[in-house]
Structure formats: C-alpha cells, structure tokens
Amino acid sequence: MASLSDIPGRVLLVGAGKMGGAMLQGWISLGLEPARIAVVDPGPPPEVAAMLEARGVALNPLNGGVPAVMLLAVKPQVAPDVLARVAPLAGPDTLVVSVMAGRTLAFLEGYFAPGTAVVRSIPNTPAAIGRGITVAVPNASVSPEQMRIADALLKATGGCEWVEREDLIDVATAVSGSGPAYVFLLAEALAEAGTRAGLPPDMADRLARATVAGAGELIVRSGIDPAQLRRNVTSPNGTTAAALAVLMDETKGFGPLLTEAVAAAARRSRELAG
C-alpha cells in the first residue's frame, strides 16, 4: 500500500472547487508537502485561495516541470476546454486521475499521448468532511505502483473501492455518487412525515437529522450487517414492525423504489457518458 510520500514528484491539481479543495486539504493533512503540490484554477474559492497562500501551494504556476500526477477535478462540461490546455503539461510517465462524472477513459485518453496511465473515479459529497467513498477504474496503462498512488490520493477524503470494468462506474455513480441525495431525501421526508403527524417542524427536523446521522454512524462503527441492525430494533408486532410493513411492501415499498431509482441513475450516467 502506497503513501503520499511515495509519489515520485509533483502533484498537479486541476480545479480547486469543492471536491478539489477537499482533496487538497486531505492530502496536506496526511503529510503531502505543500511544496510538492501545484494548483491550476483561474478562480479558486476564497477559502481555498487563502489556504493555498497560507500553505505555500503554487497557484497557476508558469512552470515547474512535468507532474508525477495530474488530478482532474473540474466540472465535466468544461473538460474539453480545460484538458486541451493542461494535457500538454503531462509527460509519458504522468499518472492522470479524474474525479469528473460522466467522462470516460476513452474521452480522457483522447487528450493525452498514447499509453498514458489514466484512472477514472467517482467520489461523493461526504468527501468534503473526509467521509466520502470513491469508486475507481484504471486503464490498461496504469502500473501496480501507479494504482497504489492513485488509491492513496483518493483515500485522502475517505475510502476507495476499485473495479475492473468501466461500466460498473455507472452503477457506482447511481449507488454512492448519487446516494447521499437519497439519504438527504430520507431525512427530508422523515421530518415532513413527523410534522404531518403533529410534531413542531423544527423538532421534526432535528429528530430526523439526528436519527439519520446516528443510524449511519451505527452502521459504520458496529460493522454489523444493516439487515441485522434493522432486525435488532424491530420488536414483533411493535411500532417499528408496523412502519416496516409499509416500507417493505414488495411492490410499492422502499426496496422496489430504490431499485428503480438506482437503475434510472445508472441509465442516465451511461447516457451522459455517451
């Protein structure tokens, strides 16, 4: 397993918005020397710009040599223009890592020299607090050592899982990439249901937030299968059982709805990728 100190050169971060900024903070907190990082971004958020200045990270350097790693964290819609400008900065041994949604390995490879090592990945928004999960896939040119380096960089904002087939990135996008929105909707709907049942809106919101956050933390800390955790809090013929009888309906319950939702998101991810 590689560490950030094993990177044999400079890391060039292209795009320092929310995701890029979170990754940058994670790298520095894990010991990557700021002097070994450079950022390309015409207008980073004020808080990121202040961090760059305070840490001595180079912003939009005119030179600095060929980077060991180029990490692409720009919005996918501006990728063609940005890649046309930054791809010439890469060398034959540069590892290119993308965290852009919907941009395929073939798309990325088209901007770099043949044989360039490219990793496509999809993180999610909890990366902003170091609790994200990223799913990644390498192209055929990525060496085992480069894969370990990419893994270390991507784990700076949480966990990282690797797949061998690129089509699974679309499924991962639907599960973990879009998944936080499903959880936020759960908290939103739970609060609304509590309000409709008679709770004051502000109290219903606090209860829903704390319940979703606490249950998620219990899954992480306990290591127990979620199905078993569900059974542990479901007394026979009790209140939870009554609610679950509705939520677990085989035709219109939570399971079928979520299956349909994930399929729709995966389908849309494939459409966006072309």
mmCIF file of all heavy atoms in Angstrom, residues 57-83:
data_model
loop_
_atom_site.group_PDB
_atom_site.id
_atom_site.type_symbol
_atom_site.label_atom_id
_atom_site.label_comp_id
_atom_site.label_asym_id
_atom_site.label_seq_id
_atom_site.Cartn_x
_atom_site.Cartn_y
_atom_site.Cartn_z
ATOM 1 N N VAL A 57 1.247 26.727 -1.381
ATOM 2 C CA VAL A 57 0.970 25.896 -2.553
ATOM 3 C C VAL A 57 0.941 26.793 -3.784
ATOM 4 O O VAL A 57 0.260 27.823 -3.798
ATOM 5 C CB VAL A 57 -0.377 25.155 -2.405
ATOM 6 C CG1 VAL A 57 -0.709 24.383 -3.686
ATOM 7 C CG2 VAL A 57 -0.347 24.227 -1.205
ATOM 8 N N ALA A 58 1.669 26.414 -4.824
ATOM 9 C CA ALA A 58 1.742 27.220 -6.039
ATOM 10 C C ALA A 58 0.401 27.240 -6.761
ATOM 11 O O ALA A 58 -0.223 26.199 -6.960
ATOM 12 C CB ALA A 58 2.823 26.675 -6.960
ATOM 13 N N LEU A 59 -0.052 28.413 -7.147
ATOM 14 C CA LEU A 59 -1.303 28.575 -7.881
ATOM 15 C C LEU A 59 -1.001 29.061 -9.293
ATOM 16 O O LEU A 59 -0.330 30.079 -9.468
ATOM 17 C CB LEU A 59 -2.217 29.574 -7.160
ATOM 18 C CG LEU A 59 -3.533 29.927 -7.858
ATOM 19 C CD1 LEU A 59 -4.412 28.684 -8.014
ATOM 20 C CD2 LEU A 59 -4.283 31.012 -7.075
ATOM 21 N N ASN A 60 -1.489 28.314 -10.272
ATOM 22 C CA ASN A 60 -1.294 28.640 -11.684
ATOM 23 C C ASN A 60 0.175 28.933 -12.008
ATOM 24 O O ASN A 60 0.512 29.998 -12.545
ATOM 25 C CB ASN A 60 -2.163 29.843 -12.081
ATOM 26 C CG ASN A 60 -3.641 29.568 -11.883
ATOM 27 O OD1 ASN A 60 -4.125 28.478 -12.195
ATOM 28 N ND2 ASN A 60 -4.359 30.555 -11.350
ATOM 29 N N PRO A 61 1.065 27.975 -11.689
ATOM 30 C CA PRO A 61 2.494 28.206 -11.941
ATOM 31 C C PRO A 61 2.781 28.244 -13.442
ATOM 32 O O PRO A 61 2.152 27.540 -14.228
ATOM 33 C CB PRO A 61 3.165 26.995 -11.292
ATOM 34 C CG PRO A 61 2.116 25.923 -11.356
ATOM 35 C CD PRO A 61 0.803 26.635 -11.146
ATOM 36 N N LEU A 62 3.729 29.064 -13.820
ATOM 37 C CA LEU A 62 4.106 29.169 -15.226
ATOM 38 C C LEU A 62 4.967 27.991 -15.660
ATOM 39 O O LEU A 62 5.036 27.637 -16.828
ATOM 40 C CB LEU A 62 4.858 30.480 -15.471
ATOM 41 C CG LEU A 62 4.048 31.758 -15.218
ATOM 42 C CD1 LEU A 62 4.924 32.991 -15.431
ATOM 43 C CD2 LEU A 62 2.833 31.802 -16.147
ATOM 44 N N ASN A 63 5.654 27.377 -14.696
ATOM 45 C CA ASN A 63 6.465 26.203 -14.999
ATOM 46 C C ASN A 63 6.573 25.376 -13.723
ATOM 47 O O ASN A 63 5.881 25.626 -12.755
ATOM 48 C CB ASN A 63 7.847 26.609 -15.528
ATOM 49 C CG ASN A 63 8.532 27.616 -14.628
ATOM 50 O OD1 ASN A 63 8.661 27.399 -13.432
ATOM 51 N ND2 ASN A 63 8.978 28.740 -15.200
ATOM 52 N N GLY A 64 7.439 24.448 -13.700
ATOM 53 C CA GLY A 64 7.585 23.596 -12.524
ATOM 54 C C GLY A 64 7.891 22.165 -12.885
ATOM 55 O O GLY A 64 8.002 21.310 -12.013
ATOM 56 N N GLY A 65 7.996 21.902 -14.157
ATOM 57 C CA GLY A 65 8.344 20.552 -14.568
ATOM 58 C C GLY A 65 7.124 19.668 -14.774
ATOM 59 O O GLY A 65 5.999 20.023 -14.440
ATOM 60 N N VAL A 66 7.383 18.509 -15.329
ATOM 61 C CA VAL A 66 6.317 17.541 -15.620
ATOM 62 C C VAL A 66 5.821 16.925 -14.307
ATOM 63 O O VAL A 66 6.622 16.455 -13.499
ATOM 64 C CB VAL A 66 6.841 16.438 -16.560
ATOM 65 C CG1 VAL A 66 5.781 15.357 -16.760
ATOM 66 C CG2 VAL A 66 7.253 17.038 -17.895
ATOM 67 N N PRO A 67 4.502 16.925 -14.067
ATOM 68 C CA PRO A 67 3.990 16.369 -12.808
ATOM 69 C C PRO A 67 4.009 14.842 -12.804
ATOM 70 O O PRO A 67 3.872 14.201 -13.857
ATOM 71 C CB PRO A 67 2.556 16.895 -12.754
ATOM 72 C CG PRO A 67 2.161 17.051 -14.192
ATOM 73 C CD PRO A 67 3.422 17.491 -14.897
ATOM 74 N N ALA A 68 4.171 14.270 -11.628
ATOM 75 C CA ALA A 68 4.057 12.818 -11.481
ATOM 76 C C ALA A 68 2.594 12.400 -11.575
ATOM 77 O O ALA A 68 2.265 11.332 -12.098
ATOM 78 C CB ALA A 68 4.645 12.369 -10.149
ATOM 79 N N VAL A 69 1.723 13.271 -11.038
ATOM 80 C CA VAL A 69 0.286 13.015 -11.054
ATOM 81 C C VAL A 69 -0.435 14.281 -11.470
ATOM 82 O O VAL A 69 -0.103 15.373 -10.993
ATOM 83 C CB VAL A 69 -0.238 12.570 -9.677
ATOM 84 C CG1 VAL A 69 -1.741 12.266 -9.743
ATOM 85 C CG2 VAL A 69 0.515 11.361 -9.155
ATOM 86 N N MET A 70 -1.410 14.144 -12.354
ATOM 87 C CA MET A 70 -2.306 15.240 -12.695
ATOM 88 C C MET A 70 -3.717 14.788 -12.306
ATOM 89 O O MET A 70 -4.242 13.824 -12.861
ATOM 90 C CB MET A 70 -2.260 15.561 -14.188
ATOM 91 C CG MET A 70 -3.206 16.699 -14.601
ATOM 92 S SD MET A 70 -3.219 17.000 -16.404
ATOM 93 C CE MET A 70 -1.558 17.615 -16.657
ATOM 94 N N LEU A 71 -4.311 15.472 -11.335
ATOM 95 C CA LEU A 71 -5.655 15.108 -10.899
ATOM 96 C C LEU A 71 -6.656 16.128 -11.418
ATOM 97 O O LEU A 71 -6.522 17.325 -11.159
ATOM 98 C CB LEU A 71 -5.747 15.003 -9.383
ATOM 99 C CG LEU A 71 -7.048 14.342 -8.913
ATOM 100 C CD1 LEU A 71 -6.788 13.335 -7.803
ATOM 101 C CD2 LEU A 71 -8.066 15.377 -8.454
ATOM 102 N N LEU A 72 -7.633 15.641 -12.160
ATOM 103 C CA LEU A 72 -8.620 16.498 -12.818
ATOM 104 C C LEU A 72 -9.888 16.574 -11.975
ATOM 105 O O LEU A 72 -10.589 15.576 -11.801
ATOM 106 C CB LEU A 72 -8.944 15.936 -14.201
ATOM 107 C CG LEU A 72 -7.734 15.688 -15.113
ATOM 108 C CD1 LEU A 72 -8.163 14.931 -16.362
ATOM 109 C CD2 LEU A 72 -7.056 17.005 -15.476
ATOM 110 N N ALA A 73 -10.174 17.769 -11.455
ATOM 111 C CA ALA A 73 -11.339 17.954 -10.592
ATOM 112 C C ALA A 73 -12.175 19.134 -11.059
ATOM 113 O O ALA A 73 -12.668 19.927 -10.255
ATOM 114 C CB ALA A 73 -10.896 18.159 -9.142
ATOM 115 N N VAL A 74 -12.340 19.249 -12.375
ATOM 116 C CA VAL A 74 -13.161 20.322 -12.934
ATOM 117 C C VAL A 74 -14.532 19.768 -13.304
ATOM 118 O O VAL A 74 -14.739 18.555 -13.370
ATOM 119 C CB VAL A 74 -12.494 20.954 -14.177
ATOM 120 C CG1 VAL A 74 -11.175 21.592 -13.781
ATOM 121 C CG2 VAL A 74 -12.291 19.920 -15.277
ATOM 122 N N LYS A 75 -15.473 20.647 -13.559
ATOM 123 C CA LYS A 75 -16.812 20.213 -13.955
ATOM 124 C C LYS A 75 -16.742 19.567 -15.345
ATOM 125 O O LYS A 75 -16.022 20.051 -16.232
ATOM 126 C CB LYS A 75 -17.778 21.398 -13.957
ATOM 127 C CG LYS A 75 -18.014 21.978 -12.573
ATOM 128 C CD LYS A 75 -19.058 23.070 -12.602
ATOM 129 C CE LYS A 75 -19.257 23.678 -11.217
ATOM 130 N NZ LYS A 75 -19.701 22.690 -10.221
ATOM 131 N N PRO A 76 -17.483 18.484 -15.543
ATOM 132 C CA PRO A 76 -17.368 17.754 -16.815
ATOM 133 C C PRO A 76 -17.697 18.588 -18.043
ATOM 134 O O PRO A 76 -17.142 18.363 -19.119
ATOM 135 C CB PRO A 76 -18.349 16.582 -16.645
ATOM 136 C CG PRO A 76 -19.229 16.953 -15.499
ATOM 137 C CD PRO A 76 -18.413 17.830 -14.611
ATOM 138 N N GLN A 77 -18.566 19.588 -17.897
ATOM 139 C CA GLN A 77 -18.952 20.380 -19.065
ATOM 140 C C GLN A 77 -17.827 21.277 -19.567
ATOM 141 O O GLN A 77 -17.838 21.701 -20.727
ATOM 142 C CB GLN A 77 -20.211 21.195 -18.793
ATOM 143 C CG GLN A 77 -20.132 22.131 -17.615
ATOM 144 C CD GLN A 77 -20.653 21.512 -16.334
ATOM 145 O OE1 GLN A 77 -20.503 20.305 -16.120
ATOM 146 N NE2 GLN A 77 -21.283 22.319 -15.487
ATOM 147 N N VAL A 78 -16.858 21.589 -18.713
ATOM 148 C CA VAL A 78 -15.735 22.419 -19.162
ATOM 149 C C VAL A 78 -14.503 21.578 -19.468
ATOM 150 O O VAL A 78 -13.456 22.122 -19.806
ATOM 151 C CB VAL A 78 -15.386 23.508 -18.122
ATOM 152 C CG1 VAL A 78 -16.593 24.388 -17.832
ATOM 153 C CG2 VAL A 78 -14.846 22.894 -16.833
ATOM 154 N N ALA A 79 -14.629 20.268 -19.348
ATOM 155 C CA ALA A 79 -13.480 19.382 -19.523
ATOM 156 C C ALA A 79 -12.784 19.537 -20.874
ATOM 157 O O ALA A 79 -11.549 19.588 -20.921
ATOM 158 C CB ALA A 79 -13.900 17.934 -19.297
ATOM 159 N N PRO A 80 -13.524 19.607 -22.000
ATOM 160 C CA PRO A 80 -12.811 19.712 -23.279
ATOM 161 C C PRO A 80 -11.871 20.917 -23.348
ATOM 162 O O PRO A 80 -10.721 20.796 -23.788
ATOM 163 C CB PRO A 80 -13.954 19.824 -24.294
ATOM 164 C CG PRO A 80 -15.097 19.105 -23.655
ATOM 165 C CD PRO A 80 -14.976 19.451 -22.203
ATOM 166 N N ASP A 81 -12.345 22.068 -22.890
ATOM 167 C CA ASP A 81 -11.521 23.269 -22.942
ATOM 168 C C ASP A 81 -10.346 23.173 -21.978
ATOM 169 O O ASP A 81 -9.208 23.506 -22.327
ATOM 170 C CB ASP A 81 -12.377 24.498 -22.611
ATOM 171 C CG ASP A 81 -11.544 25.775 -22.603
ATOM 172 O OD1 ASP A 81 -10.967 26.108 -23.648
ATOM 173 O OD2 ASP A 81 -11.477 26.430 -21.545
ATOM 174 N N VAL A 82 -10.608 22.696 -20.760
ATOM 175 C CA VAL A 82 -9.552 22.617 -19.751
ATOM 176 C C VAL A 82 -8.493 21.588 -20.150
ATOM 177 O O VAL A 82 -7.288 21.842 -20.060
ATOM 178 C CB VAL A 82 -10.142 22.275 -18.377
ATOM 179 C CG1 VAL A 82 -9.032 22.009 -17.365
ATOM 180 C CG2 VAL A 82 -11.042 23.408 -17.886
ATOM 181 N N LEU A 83 -8.938 20.427 -20.605
ATOM 182 C CA LEU A 83 -7.987 19.381 -20.967
ATOM 183 C C LEU A 83 -7.106 19.803 -22.137
ATOM 184 O O LEU A 83 -5.914 19.460 -22.188
ATOM 185 C CB LEU A 83 -8.728 18.091 -21.308
ATOM 186 C CG LEU A 83 -9.197 17.282 -20.099
ATOM 187 C CD1 LEU A 83 -10.083 16.123 -20.533
ATOM 188 C CD2 LEU A 83 -8.012 16.760 -19.311
#
